[in-house]
Amino acid sequence: MMVTIILLPFFLFHWMLPFLSHIYPDQDYMAMFALLQTEYLFALKTGTFPLNIVWSQVQNNQWGCVFNPFLYIAEMVPGFSTGRSLDCVLFLQMVLLGITHLALFRLLRKMLFPVSIAFFLSLITVYSPRLLLSFSVGGAAHVWTTYILLCVAIGFYGLDHSGYSGPLAIIGLSYLLISSGYTQETYFALLGTGLFTLSFPFLLNAILPDRPATGKTMAFFWRHTAVFCLIGTLLSAAFILPFMLDNFKEVALSSQAYEKACQFSSSPSELISNFFSPFRASPSGLLGSSPLLLAAMIIPVSVLCRARIPVIIWVLWGTSCFLMICMLGDNTPVHYYVWKYLPLYSATRYVNRVSMILPVLLMLLLIWLFKSVPANQVSIKTIKASPLSVLTTVALLATIFYACFMIKPVETLQPSLTRMNLEIIPGWVEPLLLISGLVILVVVTVHGLRTKPSVKQWTGFVLCLLTCLQLVVFFRYAPLTRKKLETRDIRTFTQYKEQKRQHTDLFLGNYILGFEKILFPGYAVRQLEKAGPQPLLAKIYEKHINVTDIEEAYQILSRGKKEDVLVVAGYPGGNDVNATSPPGEADVMPASVRLTYNSSNRLVFEARANSPSFFMFAYHRTGHWQAFVNGKSAASYYADGNAHAVKIPAGRSTVEFRYRSSAAFAGMLISCLTLAGIGLFYGVFRTRGPVGYALAVMSLICGGSLFCLWYSSLYAGENLGTHYLWQAPDRNAPRNMAYGKPVRASLPPFGPLRLNLMHDARFAVDGGHSFASCFSTGTQTSPWLEIDLLHPQPVGSIVLYADLQGLETNNIVWYTQDSVKIAREYDFLIFEKSPVAFNLPPLTISVSADHTHWETTQLHGLIKGKPLTIRPQNPLTARYIRITASGECRLCLNEVEIYPPGYASDKEPLDLCPDR
């Protein structure tokens, strides 16, 4: 039986597993998190513990996986570091599902269930369709399994308080659950664990009357379980403290808009479909792993047959109904009040995540139903039936009624989730699940009658067999968003090392929707909205404007940036917008910045200035970056909004920035002290003797050594050798008039969403020429970009930079505009990377001085990866410059530069011939 259960997930997913090896769910979240996990391991391999957890300036709660052994076990699987990390993670998750199923099976056997019923109940709980939602949010399936394992450990401890294994298991699993990194999933898992802990002693009293629990024993169980979970929480302080204190407010979306919390709400019909035909349910609100769940939800019907229902069953049933009402989101007012008043609930997204709690609660209801078979018989004329038989009979009739009268043909449905779902699965799948469900209900009805033991054995065997069949078919055609992911999207450690030599960012420009930009915290969003993007890592400014606060800085920046003037807030000195370098050496040795050392928590620059200047470091000010100039701590000021600025002297200077976190220091100290304390307690007070004292000493040594090793690794480690060099431009070079100017564009990539900041129109005039800082519209007819020079100026040339031209394979975008819309409305469709049109020629270049009279010309194409210069035949004066692509495509430009007359390009320019 043990081997069968361990191998079962590979049989259940035997159609789905090869599919998952190449296609991953929900908009590449799984790919993103696999890349992040690989990044963390890479940082540790170079000898640096990554406090600055995403090296592209954004904090992310996935940092928790650094403290979770799941990541390190995955690394041991062959192929993890050579580009197959996703396959390794999926394999381990399958193994972990089998282990979880086995543990729950053993708990049910200890509660005196027959083998078949214990197998069935543990099967439909562990392999609840809710598991798919955990997969779809980035591979959080190990949160699901850890949650169930924690409930199992608490259950074993409730049955037997003796020994050390129970307390240690609860402590360890609490630590693993909290430090998983998937904080929103963890939040609901902790709520579910609390409900399980409170209800379990009462359930034991209801199903095991020969082992009654008194108020004293219940208080003992609750008190000790709470202490063990608290110790596990303290053990995870190294993750939870920095997360809560440093980045919860900005990244965990605390106090977010209620509309966002209601995304993917289930409709009443979709919720009801869970119990009859799961394929007609909302893909993000799946629950129905067995038709017996309907029997659990209609338990009050058994009152009509005078069945005795314990209070705890009423409470569990009422709680389950309440949670299902919450899944309806803004279809009822209940969810709003829960969102508003339940602590931390407002920090979660997607209303259906609350469904994580339900499978365990439904399992507890089914436990009582199956245990009531011999003890709670109901007389119906001459037939002795249990509440289980009564309820399954009612469920059978309800299912027949649903199949005959409630199922609508696909073509008559509204274009919603259910219709699209049914259109992409074979026509035989839904009837098969309905028929097998009816057979299961008949089998369980017979099982609940007073029959011979041999009949119960056969009905139990048939029940398990049919349930396995249902799950195999369901998981094969599960309604889950998937997208083709190519092998090159997952990097090896060698590729990471080479990438770090080129750039500090994690994802560079591989995706036009860079993953690091999805996770914009609030201060980063505000900076982009108010000041625009900053593609440079560091730069020197000889001129600056001093303002009193960041709001005044944003007001100045809204009127346009200047390439050679920095806006500094809070600096005690005055303005020096007219500052110039001393003559002579400045013309030979221009100001420059070079990155000489880079690790995840420390960057060291060699700067050269021709006069006292400001050194600008572009990472956002989070209160964690400490500046040093020539080895001494230096004051840091707000620069161009929310960047860093430090004053440096003339000549050569060493400028260093270190990422510091008091919360991380305190959290790691608490975790190490807790670890040492656990060993000390068990060594001195439990084991005692020489062995106990040796254990206590070893625990103290391990805890202290671990903290010292962690602290010494923060600012040491291998220099990644990232190449970054900035040099001041030639003073005699013409000024790029487009830099930092107001811009506007046609339809953005994703409608009125925060995602549009990823490739806002201002990326076209930010001074960066790389694809990582490109501007893009959505797919539309004749997309355009318009630059406002603020006042009419002589235009000598226009330079365009682009990496895309014509029909490009969609390896740098998730979906086309239409596909994105469909994916939001029907979040289960299968999309593969497909060709997308970019910058279709001819491109029209239009110029105007008054936005009324335009002069235009057409280009027949761009030069991919190279600048293209357009120069007018005759001098012209313009304020507005508009670039328009042709046909149905995206306009996507790395940069647009505009120069006055006299600019000389190293390439042969194209003439701008006005069509008046």
Side-chain angles (χ1 to χ4, degrees), residues 10 68 80 113 147 181 198 204 211 246 248 254 294 299 333 361 390 451 454 525 602 660 734 768 786 798 831:
F10 295 97
N68 197 304
F80 184 92
F113 277 96
Y147 160 50
L198 290 173
L204 290 182
R211 297 176 57 181
D246 288 350
F248 176 77
S254 181
L294 177 60
I299 277 179
L361 296 186
V390 174
T451 56
S454 59
V525 173
R602 179 173 170 239
R660 297 185 181 277
E786 184 178 288
I798 301 171
F831 293 109

mmCIF file of all heavy atoms in Angstrom, residues 10 68 80 113 147 181 198 204 211 246 248 254 294 299 333 361 390 451 454 525 602 660 734 768 786 798 831:
data_model
loop_
_atom_site.group_PDB
_atom_site.id
_atom_site.type_symbol
_atom_site.label_atom_id
_atom_site.label_comp_id
_atom_site.label_asym_id
_atom_site.label_seq_id
_atom_site.Cartn_x
_atom_site.Cartn_y
_atom_site.Cartn_z
ATOM 1 N N PHE A 10 2.150 9.866 -9.938
ATOM 2 C CA PHE A 10 2.702 9.710 -11.282
ATOM 3 C C PHE A 10 1.722 8.984 -12.199
ATOM 4 O O PHE A 10 1.718 9.194 -13.409
ATOM 5 C CB PHE A 10 4.025 8.954 -11.211
ATOM 6 C CG PHE A 10 5.092 9.706 -10.479
ATOM 7 C CD1 PHE A 10 5.349 9.455 -9.143
ATOM 8 C CD2 PHE A 10 5.823 10.696 -11.112
ATOM 9 C CE1 PHE A 10 6.318 10.160 -8.454
ATOM 10 C CE2 PHE A 10 6.797 11.404 -10.435
ATOM 11 C CZ PHE A 10 7.045 11.137 -9.106
ATOM 12 N N ASN A 68 13.776 27.458 2.800
ATOM 13 C CA ASN A 68 12.987 26.239 2.689
ATOM 14 C C ASN A 68 13.840 25.136 2.065
ATOM 15 O O ASN A 68 14.405 25.326 0.983
ATOM 16 C CB ASN A 68 11.748 26.506 1.831
ATOM 17 C CG ASN A 68 10.689 25.455 2.003
ATOM 18 O OD1 ASN A 68 10.953 24.274 1.808
ATOM 19 N ND2 ASN A 68 9.490 25.865 2.366
ATOM 20 N N PHE A 80 19.009 20.162 -12.494
ATOM 21 C CA PHE A 80 18.485 21.426 -11.975
ATOM 22 C C PHE A 80 19.343 22.603 -12.417
ATOM 23 O O PHE A 80 18.814 23.635 -12.841
ATOM 24 C CB PHE A 80 18.419 21.366 -10.450
ATOM 25 C CG PHE A 80 17.789 22.591 -9.826
ATOM 26 C CD1 PHE A 80 16.437 22.623 -9.564
ATOM 27 C CD2 PHE A 80 18.535 23.713 -9.521
ATOM 28 C CE1 PHE A 80 15.834 23.750 -9.007
ATOM 29 C CE2 PHE A 80 17.964 24.843 -8.964
ATOM 30 C CZ PHE A 80 16.600 24.851 -8.707
ATOM 31 N N PHE A 113 -10.358 3.658 10.465
ATOM 32 C CA PHE A 113 -11.059 3.517 9.199
ATOM 33 C C PHE A 113 -10.544 2.282 8.457
ATOM 34 O O PHE A 113 -9.342 1.957 8.533
ATOM 35 C CB PHE A 113 -10.850 4.746 8.320
ATOM 36 C CG PHE A 113 -11.773 5.889 8.628
ATOM 37 C CD1 PHE A 113 -11.367 6.906 9.464
ATOM 38 C CD2 PHE A 113 -13.047 5.924 8.094
ATOM 39 C CE1 PHE A 113 -12.216 7.961 9.756
ATOM 40 C CE2 PHE A 113 -13.903 6.974 8.377
ATOM 41 C CZ PHE A 113 -13.498 7.992 9.216
ATOM 42 N N TYR A 147 0.654 22.198 4.143
ATOM 43 C CA TYR A 147 -0.562 22.500 4.912
ATOM 44 C C TYR A 147 -1.246 21.210 5.367
ATOM 45 O O TYR A 147 -1.607 21.047 6.544
ATOM 46 C CB TYR A 147 -1.475 23.352 4.043
ATOM 47 C CG TYR A 147 -2.922 23.387 4.423
ATOM 48 C CD1 TYR A 147 -3.336 23.654 5.722
ATOM 49 C CD2 TYR A 147 -3.910 23.169 3.451
ATOM 50 C CE1 TYR A 147 -4.691 23.697 6.049
ATOM 51 C CE2 TYR A 147 -5.254 23.221 3.768
ATOM 52 C CZ TYR A 147 -5.636 23.480 5.068
ATOM 53 O OH TYR A 147 -6.971 23.522 5.386
ATOM 54 N N GLY A 181 7.430 31.006 1.105
ATOM 55 C CA GLY A 181 7.586 32.119 0.180
ATOM 56 C C GLY A 181 6.310 32.507 -0.516
ATOM 57 O O GLY A 181 6.195 33.624 -1.012
ATOM 58 N N LEU A 198 -8.852 23.546 16.112
ATOM 59 C CA LEU A 198 -9.962 23.802 17.028
ATOM 60 C C LEU A 198 -11.023 22.706 16.953
ATOM 61 O O LEU A 198 -11.638 22.348 17.975
ATOM 62 C CB LEU A 198 -10.591 25.158 16.696
ATOM 63 C CG LEU A 198 -9.748 26.398 17.025
ATOM 64 C CD1 LEU A 198 -10.427 27.651 16.491
ATOM 65 C CD2 LEU A 198 -9.520 26.519 18.532
ATOM 66 N N LEU A 204 -13.171 13.971 17.249
ATOM 67 C CA LEU A 204 -12.811 12.680 17.861
ATOM 68 C C LEU A 204 -13.893 12.229 18.827
ATOM 69 O O LEU A 204 -14.223 11.036 18.903
ATOM 70 C CB LEU A 204 -11.462 12.799 18.577
ATOM 71 C CG LEU A 204 -10.218 12.947 17.687
ATOM 72 C CD1 LEU A 204 -8.965 13.005 18.545
ATOM 73 C CD2 LEU A 204 -10.115 11.793 16.698
ATOM 74 N N ARG A 211 -13.323 6.944 23.347
ATOM 75 C CA ARG A 211 -12.135 7.704 23.757
ATOM 76 C C ARG A 211 -12.529 9.161 23.936
ATOM 77 O O ARG A 211 -12.060 10.039 23.211
ATOM 78 C CB ARG A 211 -11.021 7.575 22.722
ATOM 79 C CG ARG A 211 -10.516 6.149 22.542
ATOM 80 C CD ARG A 211 -9.496 6.069 21.434
ATOM 81 N NE ARG A 211 -8.379 6.940 21.656
ATOM 82 C CZ ARG A 211 -7.349 7.070 20.813
ATOM 83 N NH1 ARG A 211 -7.336 6.373 19.690
ATOM 84 N NH2 ARG A 211 -6.355 7.885 21.084
ATOM 85 N N ASP A 246 9.824 45.025 6.114
ATOM 86 C CA ASP A 246 10.519 45.710 5.021
ATOM 87 C C ASP A 246 9.663 45.889 3.777
ATOM 88 O O ASP A 246 9.743 46.925 3.108
ATOM 89 C CB ASP A 246 11.798 44.952 4.635
ATOM 90 C CG ASP A 246 12.883 45.102 5.691
ATOM 91 O OD1 ASP A 246 12.691 45.928 6.601
ATOM 92 O OD2 ASP A 246 13.896 44.383 5.605
ATOM 93 N N PHE A 248 6.172 44.234 3.228
ATOM 94 C CA PHE A 248 4.783 43.780 3.194
ATOM 95 C C PHE A 248 3.855 44.861 2.655
ATOM 96 O O PHE A 248 3.017 44.619 1.795
ATOM 97 C CB PHE A 248 4.334 43.357 4.594
ATOM 98 C CG PHE A 248 2.886 42.968 4.665
ATOM 99 C CD1 PHE A 248 2.479 41.742 4.201
ATOM 100 C CD2 PHE A 248 1.938 43.829 5.180
ATOM 101 C CE1 PHE A 248 1.143 41.362 4.244
ATOM 102 C CE2 PHE A 248 0.603 43.470 5.232
ATOM 103 C CZ PHE A 248 0.209 42.230 4.770
ATOM 104 N N SER A 254 -0.972 45.288 0.612
ATOM 105 C CA SER A 254 -1.808 45.541 1.781
ATOM 106 C C SER A 254 -2.756 46.704 1.503
ATOM 107 O O SER A 254 -2.378 47.694 0.889
ATOM 108 C CB SER A 254 -0.925 45.872 2.987
ATOM 109 O OG SER A 254 -1.697 46.110 4.127
ATOM 110 N N LEU A 294 -21.023 16.556 -2.475
ATOM 111 C CA LEU A 294 -22.403 17.035 -2.443
ATOM 112 C C LEU A 294 -23.137 16.452 -1.237
ATOM 113 O O LEU A 294 -23.916 17.152 -0.575
ATOM 114 C CB LEU A 294 -23.113 16.661 -3.740
ATOM 115 C CG LEU A 294 -24.597 17.035 -3.832
ATOM 116 C CD1 LEU A 294 -24.775 18.543 -3.689
ATOM 117 C CD2 LEU A 294 -25.201 16.545 -5.151
ATOM 118 N N ILE A 299 -25.778 17.725 4.463
ATOM 119 C CA ILE A 299 -25.927 17.008 5.738
ATOM 120 C C ILE A 299 -27.216 17.391 6.476
ATOM 121 O O ILE A 299 -27.867 16.524 7.080
ATOM 122 C CB ILE A 299 -24.677 17.247 6.608
ATOM 123 C CG1 ILE A 299 -23.569 16.280 6.187
ATOM 124 C CG2 ILE A 299 -24.979 17.069 8.090
ATOM 125 C CD1 ILE A 299 -22.285 16.423 6.951
ATOM 126 N N PRO A 333 -22.664 40.497 -0.231
ATOM 127 C CA PRO A 333 -21.939 41.457 0.620
ATOM 128 C C PRO A 333 -21.037 40.784 1.650
ATOM 129 O O PRO A 333 -20.256 41.464 2.307
ATOM 130 C CB PRO A 333 -23.069 42.234 1.308
ATOM 131 C CG PRO A 333 -24.220 41.289 1.326
ATOM 132 C CD PRO A 333 -24.110 40.465 0.083
ATOM 133 N N LEU A 361 -11.847 20.784 5.500
ATOM 134 C CA LEU A 361 -13.109 20.836 6.237
ATOM 135 C C LEU A 361 -14.110 19.830 5.668
ATOM 136 O O LEU A 361 -14.826 19.152 6.428
ATOM 137 C CB LEU A 361 -13.702 22.240 6.174
ATOM 138 C CG LEU A 361 -12.899 23.364 6.834
ATOM 139 C CD1 LEU A 361 -13.689 24.662 6.804
ATOM 140 C CD2 LEU A 361 -12.521 23.009 8.263
ATOM 141 N N VAL A 390 -28.576 7.847 3.184
ATOM 142 C CA VAL A 390 -29.650 8.796 2.916
ATOM 143 C C VAL A 390 -29.147 9.964 2.076
ATOM 144 O O VAL A 390 -29.762 10.358 1.075
ATOM 145 C CB VAL A 390 -30.265 9.295 4.238
ATOM 146 C CG1 VAL A 390 -31.286 10.400 3.975
ATOM 147 C CG2 VAL A 390 -30.899 8.147 5.005
ATOM 148 N N THR A 451 -24.977 -4.120 5.635
ATOM 149 C CA THR A 451 -24.673 -5.248 4.759
ATOM 150 C C THR A 451 -23.524 -6.058 5.335
ATOM 151 O O THR A 451 -22.915 -5.699 6.340
ATOM 152 C CB THR A 451 -24.284 -4.753 3.357
ATOM 153 O OG1 THR A 451 -23.187 -3.839 3.479
ATOM 154 C CG2 THR A 451 -25.438 -4.023 2.701
ATOM 155 N N SER A 454 -18.109 -8.395 3.646
ATOM 156 C CA SER A 454 -17.538 -8.624 2.316
ATOM 157 C C SER A 454 -18.094 -7.634 1.305
ATOM 158 O O SER A 454 -17.378 -7.162 0.413
ATOM 159 C CB SER A 454 -17.829 -10.063 1.861
ATOM 160 O OG SER A 454 -19.236 -10.292 1.817
ATOM 161 N N VAL A 525 6.176 52.270 -8.526
ATOM 162 C CA VAL A 525 5.097 52.725 -9.409
ATOM 163 C C VAL A 525 5.021 54.250 -9.397
ATOM 164 O O VAL A 525 4.907 54.898 -10.440
ATOM 165 C CB VAL A 525 3.754 52.111 -8.951
ATOM 166 C CG1 VAL A 525 2.599 52.714 -9.738
ATOM 167 C CG2 VAL A 525 3.775 50.601 -9.139
ATOM 168 N N ARG A 602 25.893 44.267 -2.290
ATOM 169 C CA ARG A 602 26.958 45.270 -2.265
ATOM 170 C C ARG A 602 27.395 45.605 -3.685
ATOM 171 O O ARG A 602 27.621 44.710 -4.501
ATOM 172 C CB ARG A 602 28.142 44.721 -1.455
ATOM 173 C CG ARG A 602 29.336 45.649 -1.351
ATOM 174 C CD ARG A 602 30.358 45.067 -0.389
ATOM 175 N NE ARG A 602 31.613 45.787 -0.428
ATOM 176 C CZ ARG A 602 32.798 45.255 -0.727
ATOM 177 N NH1 ARG A 602 32.882 43.961 -0.993
ATOM 178 N NH2 ARG A 602 33.878 45.993 -0.738
ATOM 179 N N ARG A 660 21.320 46.986 3.749
ATOM 180 C CA ARG A 660 21.224 46.624 5.158
ATOM 181 C C ARG A 660 19.753 46.494 5.544
ATOM 182 O O ARG A 660 18.899 47.211 5.043
ATOM 183 C CB ARG A 660 21.906 47.666 6.044
ATOM 184 C CG ARG A 660 23.408 47.801 5.797
ATOM 185 C CD ARG A 660 24.030 48.754 6.804
ATOM 186 N NE ARG A 660 25.457 48.933 6.603
ATOM 187 C CZ ARG A 660 26.392 48.119 7.063
ATOM 188 N NH1 ARG A 660 26.039 47.057 7.762
ATOM 189 N NH2 ARG A 660 27.673 48.357 6.844
ATOM 190 N N PRO A 734 25.871 67.640 -29.859
ATOM 191 C CA PRO A 734 24.529 68.249 -29.825
ATOM 192 C C PRO A 734 23.649 67.584 -28.766
ATOM 193 O O PRO A 734 23.831 66.421 -28.418
ATOM 194 C CB PRO A 734 23.998 68.004 -31.242
ATOM 195 C CG PRO A 734 24.763 66.818 -31.732
ATOM 196 C CD PRO A 734 26.126 66.923 -31.132
ATOM 197 N N GLY A 768 17.922 55.161 -22.793
ATOM 198 C CA GLY A 768 18.410 53.786 -22.887
ATOM 199 C C GLY A 768 18.142 53.186 -24.243
ATOM 200 O O GLY A 768 17.021 53.285 -24.770
ATOM 201 N N GLU A 786 3.877 59.849 -29.907
ATOM 202 C CA GLU A 786 4.041 61.283 -30.165
ATOM 203 C C GLU A 786 4.893 61.908 -29.072
ATOM 204 O O GLU A 786 4.662 61.679 -27.880
ATOM 205 C CB GLU A 786 2.675 61.971 -30.219
ATOM 206 C CG GLU A 786 2.762 63.454 -30.581
ATOM 207 C CD GLU A 786 1.382 64.084 -30.682
ATOM 208 O OE1 GLU A 786 0.678 63.773 -31.668
ATOM 209 O OE2 GLU A 786 1.003 64.842 -29.764
ATOM 210 N N ILE A 798 16.293 62.826 -36.786
ATOM 211 C CA ILE A 798 15.559 61.942 -35.875
ATOM 212 C C ILE A 798 16.211 60.565 -35.959
ATOM 213 O O ILE A 798 16.426 60.033 -37.057
ATOM 214 C CB ILE A 798 14.079 61.848 -36.262
ATOM 215 C CG1 ILE A 798 13.432 63.242 -36.240
ATOM 216 C CG2 ILE A 798 13.321 60.904 -35.327
ATOM 217 C CD1 ILE A 798 12.032 63.265 -36.811
ATOM 218 N N PHE A 831 -2.301 28.450 -24.669
ATOM 219 C CA PHE A 831 -1.721 29.334 -25.678
ATOM 220 C C PHE A 831 -0.272 28.934 -25.918
ATOM 221 O O PHE A 831 0.454 28.647 -24.972
ATOM 222 C CB PHE A 831 -1.748 30.795 -25.211
ATOM 223 C CG PHE A 831 -3.120 31.352 -25.098
ATOM 224 C CD1 PHE A 831 -3.667 31.612 -23.862
ATOM 225 C CD2 PHE A 831 -3.860 31.617 -26.228
ATOM 226 C CE1 PHE A 831 -4.935 32.126 -23.759
ATOM 227 C CE2 PHE A 831 -5.130 32.136 -26.134
ATOM 228 C CZ PHE A 831 -5.672 32.387 -24.888
#
